[in-house]
Amino acid sequence: MEIVWDRSEVSALEVREVLRSRREVARNTIRTLLGRMEQKGWLKHRLDGRTFLYAAVVPRQQTIGQKVVQLLDDVCGGSAETLVAALIDHRKLTAGELERVAQLLADAQAQRDSQPKNSHKRKR
């Protein structure tokens, strides 16, 4: 998915070329993988001559958000604090990452404070 998101639209050959820099992958393996990802709803394709060009169905940020919420619910008992604490405790964040996280938290607090009461409750 990272390759598709990075390039917006890719052929199986392009995916293979990117992956080849890491390890050798058979052409049929790539085609099978892309086909399965399409069957699962991750990708869609269009024909350009005889070439299938694949694109993501769901944008990267939306997918990441969905997976984080799933992780939060499944592993952290719904506690964002547990998730953030685990991230800080078990991954060596760079100074830049820590600054960015602090800014994101400050922005979220400011946005929450500017909303009318009860409008910030999480909806399911």
Side-chain angles (χ1 to χ4, degrees):
M1 285 306 299
E2 292 294 327
I3 296 167
V4 177
W5 282 322
D6 287 346
R7 295 173 181 242
S8 299
E9 191 174 63
V10 293
S11 68
L13 178 63
E14 291 171 309
V15 172
R16 186 172 182 225
E17 290 299 318
V18 171
L19 292 177
R20 187 180 282 177
S21 67
R22 299 177 212 162
R23 64 186 168 100
E24 188 59 37
V25 182
R27 183 181 67 206
N28 287 341
T29 300
I30 298 299
R31 288 188 177 154
T32 298
L33 178 63
L34 292 170
R36 287 183 181 162
M37 292 170 75
E38 185 172 22
Q39 288 172 349
K40 292 181 178 187
W42 288 88
L43 299 176
K44 61 184 175 184
H45 80 271
R46 70 176 181 88
L47 270 174
D48 182 21
R50 293 178 31 184
T51 303
F52 278 36
L53 295 175
Y54 294 90
V57 171
V58 180
R60 183 186 315 224
Q61 279 307 114
Q62 183 179 340
T63 301
I64 291 170
Q66 291 168 347
K67 291 297 181 183
V68 168
V69 169
Q70 182 180 359
L71 176 69
L72 183 72
D73 291 342
D74 294 349
V75 178
C76 301
S79 169
E81 181 180 346
T82 299
L83 178 65
V84 172
L87 176 65
I88 291 168
D89 291 344
H90 298 284
R91 183 168 184 283
K92 301 292 184 235
L93 299 177
T94 66
E97 288 173 324
L98 286 170
E99 268 184 47
R100 178 77 176 122
V101 168
Q103 186 60 55
L104 289 168
L105 291 170
D107 292 349
Q109 183 69 48
Q111 182 179 8
R112 182 175 165 256
D113 290 347
S114 69
Q115 292 178 348
K117 296 275 189 213
N118 295 328
S119 67
H120 64 274
K121 288 184 179 177
R122 185 174 166 193
K123 295 177 183 173
R124 288 204 174 231

